[in-house]
Amino acid sequence: MPRTGRLTTAAALLAAISALATACTGQSADTASDDPKADVTLNFWHGWSAPSETKAIEDNIARFTQAHPNIEVKVTGNMTDDKINQALRAGGDKAPDVVSSFTTDSVGKFCNSRAFADLNPFLQKSGVDKTKVFPKTLLEYTQFNGNQCTLPLLHDAYGLVYNKTAFAAAGITEPPRTWSQFTEAAQKLTKPKGDSYEQVGLMPTFHGYETKPTRLAAQWGATYFGPDGKSNLAGDPAFAKMLTAQKDLVDKLGGYEKLERFRNTFGDEWSAEHPFHLGLVAMQIDGEWRAPMAREAGAAFEIGTAPLPVPDEQAADYGKGYLSGTIMGIAAGSKKQNAAWELVKYMTTDTEAVVAFANAIHNVPSTLAALESPKLQVTPEFKTFLDIARHPKSSTTPAQADGGTYQLTFEDFAYGVEKGDVADIPAGLAKADQQIDTDIAKAK
Amino acid sequence: MSPWLIGFAVFFAYPLLSTLYFSFTRYDGFRQPSFNGLDNWSYVFTDYPLFWPAVRNTLWLVAVMVTCRVAFGLGVGLLVTKIKTGVGIFRTLFYLPYLAPPVAATLAFVFLLNPGTGPANTLLDAVGLPTPGWFTDADWSKPALTALALWGVGDLMVIFMAALLDVPKEQYEAAELDGAGARARFRHITLPNISPIIAFAVVTGVIQAMQYYAQPLVAGKVAAGVIGGSGQQFEPGYPDKSTLTLPQLVYNLGFQRFDYGTACVVALVLFALSMAFTALLMRRRGGLIGAGE
């Protein structure tokens, strides 16, 4: 074959590959023109898996189909974000029309890639003023750059769950409100046993289940991004203060290695063998689910709940906490978006539906009306988390184009600090800022 | 067109060329791929903090884990060919772990090597030896993975056993008559005879090590205490990126970050490394076979 012929063949091959590759990309529906009153079947994927949770979903769907007899909902549970993402990209009849995900950190990615449809036009068409329906913080983590591609479906508030019996034994009369009180309480509650512990006041290391850097940073009121959209870890002294305080606590409770060795004896976070249930840990940074879970697991002590402590200089803000939750959206590729919106609207904005679901799975309701509903079952323990959810200074981690990659970069740095591998925290944070900005620029 | 050519085009050339094409694009699976030149390549080599640790770990596994596995497999193969009584029991005992699913085997090892409660450290402590952190210590996590790989060495044992039993007995007899000791017989008769099998074990071992994914991911996740739950993100490689491998990066970039372009770059690096190792080993294999002939 002449040289030009070979080149032509190669070019044609490359062009064919490009065309094929392009043809394989997901396509969004241009507009939602489907008739919401037509008979349709919606595929709804969610992540809940416990029998009580799936039953709560089924009950909610049953109430929905009673009100919308033309819409059949096929529910698939126990779906991870990886599976959801793959299905959304693959598209087709079997792909979900409506999706619920636990990972609020993915919202920026969902919105930025246009995986989910923007719900603003649907909200407008239905006359729903989102600012009057949802708390401000929840709206923050369900949208990105004005694209409200998801809505909150219940949420989680993070606070302190503690062993009241252990508190009494250590002579502590009330939950700590400031970080120095917290450190003191954690030390009093720690009982060494040989090279290990009989009980530790708190597992302060960042692999200790929900003791995430993001949860603690919220107590310091840290701001992740500056007004210019650039990463602000070095710019906001709150991050360095939080990391220093956590490292100090790690050292005071026995040091990183000893604590990590003890942490490795712990059971699964979602099992009955959670160390808090067994009395191995006296205080636990956790969500509203921990106290009922501990009771269900047969914890042999009295349980108390409180907001997480705040830094001493911010004592007036005691009561705030970190908020996160479940989100719900409509697949951009769905051809039944108007019908899908009916389901999303019902699940996320209907007070009765939200309250019934919150009562069934012990999560914090995600609408302002549901938070105040008299039908909401409120125990004293649960009230703590409702109050954290209502606190004006409670915060979340903002949505970003790279999903939660920026949080992982921050976490990675925090692991180094708690281990004692970082000599210069501000310099390290500045380096993390650079990495975060690079990653976000690439994702945009 | 011959069937071979169709198969080659569909299953090799097309995926390879597509991967190459996508490596020069920005592509998240939703929006159309857009050409971004060498951005993905430059990001991987200069800005992606997980890339070089993953390369180092993968090379470590290729060098150490493969060597240990081949040596241990050969040792066990030799042992079971020498045993006179109860040989069936020993062969079964050594082969059985190979049948365990990788995830189950890894979970069992994380339990056995738990630094606080695991029987391995209890035993070491009882005899006065230091007790490593195993999967929770960056210095020990890869040796722990190697121990797991040695436990499942049953496949190599069977192959070596067959090769060892095939070595002509008369060669040993002649060597014994010439006064050769056990070491000399092993070096000058056994090794040359089984060298093609050693080469096979090394090449397949290197390919397995380059594709090592499930075991380090599961071990890292379990040791880090991240098993599932409410929307937790997990960066693979716990502790300190020590269990991170290149296939994990391909998955992480492609199917968690949905940056297919960058994932394609890592996949191509992995492909190039695999090809380089295989070519090198195939050349060495020629030498080994030559030595045996």
Side-chain angles (χ1 to χ4, degrees):
Chain A
M1 192 187 281
R3 195 187 151 93
T4 47
R6 281 203 301 268
L7 278 173
T8 314
T9 312
L13 187 63
L14 269 174
I17 289 166
S18 309
L20 269 171
T22 318
C24 290
T25 58
Q27 299 292 327
S28 317
D30 296 322
T31 49
S33 54
D34 59 299
D35 177 8
K37 295 202 166 51
D39 285 347
V40 289
T41 302
L42 293 176
N43 287 324
F44 169 39
W45 286 17
H46 66 79
W48 284 286
S49 57
S52 58
E53 294 169 339
T54 47
K55 187 184 176 303
I57 288 268
E58 279 162 20
D59 291 349
N60 233 358
I61 296 293
R63 284 190 290 269
F64 170 76
T65 45
Q66 215 168 11
H68 299 79
N70 62 311
I71 303 175
E72 193 196 338
V73 184
K74 276 173 74 176
V75 184
T76 311
N78 199 18
M79 280 294 168
T80 62
D81 267 25
D82 287 359
K83 289 181 202 164
I84 288 169
N85 270 308
Q86 286 305 325
L88 289 175
R89 279 160 173 81
D93 289 345
K94 298 270 177 357
D97 300 291
V98 178
V99 167
S100 167
S101 160
F102 293 146
T103 320
T104 51
D105 300 324
S106 297
V107 169
K109 210 159 44 183
F110 286 144
C111 297
N112 187 54
S113 64
R114 307 275 164 185
F116 285 1
D118 184 3
L119 301 178
N120 280 316
F122 293 98
L123 287 160
Q124 242 169 2
K125 206 160 55 176
S126 304
V128 179
D129 181 351
K130 62 183 180 184
T131 57
K132 288 187 178 147
V133 175
F134 302 104
K136 190 175 152 284
T137 315
L138 275 59
L139 281 177
E140 209 178 300
Y141 72 61
T142 50
Q143 63 90 37
F144 177 65
N145 274 354
N147 177 0
Q148 187 76 50
C149 76
T150 64
L151 286 176
L153 172 64
L154 304 191
H155 76 300
D156 302 316
Y158 288 84
L160 189 69
V161 184
Y162 62 95
N163 181 333
K164 271 187 173 175
T165 312
F167 266 47
I172 307 168
T173 52
E174 57 181 27
R177 295 170 70 92
T178 63
W179 190 262
S180 54
Q181 288 171 1
F182 186 51
T183 307
E184 201 183 321
Q187 283 177 280
K188 275 188 189 170
L189 291 160
T190 299
K191 298 178 194 168
K193 183 181 163 191
D195 283 346
S196 186
Y197 304 88
E198 184 186 328
Q199 172 186 283
V200 74
L202 169 95
M203 179 46 67
T205 60
F206 288 131
H207 279 294
Y209 302 134
E210 301 299 332
T211 314
K212 299 270 176 203
T214 46
R215 317 277 194 261
L216 292 187
Q219 298 312 108
W220 266 261
T223 310
Y224 287 83
F225 296 94
D228 56 354
K230 298 274 183 203
S231 181
N232 193 39
L233 300 182
D236 186 346
F239 289 103
K241 283 183 185 171
M242 180 280 279
L243 292 170
T244 309
Q246 185 264 0
K247 169 84 177 97
D248 174 60
L249 182 56
V250 167
D251 292 343
K252 281 181 173 152
L253 295 186
Y256 177 81
E257 275 182 28
K258 190 175 167 185
L259 285 163
E260 279 292 275
R261 200 167 271 256
F262 187 53
R263 186 182 65 76
N264 271 281
T265 65
F266 292 174
D268 173 20
E269 181 178 9
W270 308 104
S271 74
E273 282 73 44
H274 187 289
F276 178 73
H277 304 173
L278 302 177
L280 296 170
V281 170
M283 294 189 287
Q284 187 71 36
I285 295 172
D286 227 316
E288 66 280 352
W289 56 79
R290 182 55 57 201
M293 273 184 85
R295 203 154 287 127
E296 262 176 46
F301 50 84
E302 256 197 277
I303 298 168
T305 58
L308 278 178
V310 287
D312 293 28
E313 65 276 15
Q314 294 182 35
D317 291 341
Y318 178 69
K320 69 180 176 182
Y322 178 81
L323 306 180
S324 174
T326 308
I327 46 115
M328 195 171 187
I330 298 173
S334 169
K335 305 287 180 212
K336 309 157 198 165
Q337 292 191 3
N338 280 322
W341 167 244
E342 291 302 320
L343 177 63
V344 172
K345 186 173 68 172
Y346 174 80
M347 297 274 288
T348 60
T349 68
D350 184 282
T351 307
E352 206 174 312
V354 173
V355 170
F357 196 28
N359 284 340
I361 71 167
H362 311 295
N363 270 197
V364 180
S366 43
T367 66
L368 294 164
L371 275 166
E372 305 303 330
S373 169
K375 287 186 182 167
L376 189 64
Q377 292 161 8
V378 184
T379 61
E381 287 154 9
F382 189 45
K383 189 177 177 304
T384 304
F385 294 94
L386 290 176
D387 291 341
I388 295 168
R390 290 191 194 104
H391 195 283
K393 291 203 172 172
S394 286
S395 61
T396 187
T397 32
Q400 265 301 347
D402 69 346
T405 305
Y406 77 90
Q407 292 171 42
L408 292 175
T409 304
F410 172 46
E411 259 182 33
D412 195 39
F413 177 69
Y415 295 145
V417 175
E418 69 178 0
K419 271 184 84 174
D421 287 351
V422 177
D424 186 346
I425 293 178
L429 286 170
K431 205 173 156 207
D433 279 333
Q434 278 178 4
Q435 184 65 48
I436 288 170
D437 289 337
T438 306
D439 290 341
I440 289 174
K442 190 161 190 316
K444 270 185 178 165
Chain B
M1 198 181 269
S2 73
W4 175 85
L5 202 60
I6 295 170
F8 177 80
V10 172
F11 297 112
F12 184 78
Y14 172 68
L16 184 61
L17 288 172
S18 296
T19 308
L20 189 64
Y21 164 76
F22 284 120
S23 75
F24 298 107
T25 66
R26 183 182 174 283
Y27 182 37
D28 63 11
F30 279 106
R31 289 166 293 193
Q32 302 291 336
S34 58
F35 184 73
N36 67 353
L38 291 170
D39 279 10
N40 298 330
W41 290 85
S42 128
Y43 178 75
V44 165
F45 286 103
T46 58
D47 292 324
Y48 186 38
L50 305 184
F51 178 69
W52 290 111
V55 170
R56 282 193 290 275
N57 292 335
T58 304
L59 294 178
W60 190 99
L61 291 168
V62 166
V64 180
M65 195 169 82
V66 175
T67 309
C68 291
R69 235 178 82 85
V70 171
F72 191 65
L74 178 58
V76 174
L78 274 168
L79 186 75
V80 292
T81 52
K82 302 281 179 208
I83 292 169
K84 301 285 181 209
T85 50
V87 65
I89 294 167
F90 279 103
R91 287 176 188 177
T92 310
L93 277 178
F94 279 115
Y95 189 71
L96 268 180
Y98 175 68
L99 301 176
V103 172
T106 311
L107 289 173
F109 253 68
V110 175
F111 166 76
L112 289 170
L113 299 180
N114 184 302
T117 55
N121 274 8
T122 309
L123 200 67
L124 289 171
D125 195 36
V127 294
L129 288 171
T131 53
W134 299 112
F135 288 111
T136 62
D137 181 339
D139 294 334
W140 281 95
S141 57
K142 285 190 285 289
L145 286 170
T146 306
L148 170 61
L150 295 186
W151 184 68
V153 82
D155 57 334
L156 284 185
M157 174 203 75
V158 170
I159 294 166
F160 279 125
M161 204 177 68
L164 289 165
L165 292 173
D166 261 2
V167 178
K169 290 210 169 32
E170 51 274 26
Q171 289 186 14
Y172 288 119
E173 286 163 6
E176 266 182 67
L177 288 174
D178 288 344
R183 190 182 291 182
R185 287 202 302 274
F186 179 74
R187 191 175 161 196
H188 297 292
I189 297 171
T190 310
L191 267 186
N193 271 294
I194 65 166
S195 67
I197 304 302
I198 294 175
F200 168 80
V202 173
V203 171
T204 52
V206 167
I207 293 169
Q208 278 172 10
M210 301 293 284
Q211 296 173 344
Y212 207 45
Y213 175 81
Q215 292 91 331
L217 184 73
V218 172
K221 271 190 145 185
V222 178
V226 184
I227 297 176
S230 58
Q232 286 189 58
Q233 299 187 99
F234 175 69
E235 189 171 85
Y238 176 86
D240 289 344
K241 305 182 183 75
S242 63
T243 56
L244 193 67
T245 61
L246 286 169
Q248 286 185 56
L249 287 198
V250 176
Y251 184 82
N252 183 251
L253 284 164
F255 303 109
Q256 290 182 311
R257 282 174 66 170
F258 289 96
D259 185 348
Y260 290 133
T262 313
C264 284
V265 174
V266 179
L268 286 168
V269 170
L270 190 56
F271 175 74
L273 280 175
S274 302
M275 289 297 285
F277 274 120
T278 310
L280 189 75
L281 289 166
M282 291 311 279
R283 286 185 66 180
R284 287 290 302 154
R285 178 179 175 265
L288 283 168
I289 290 171
E293 280 168 351

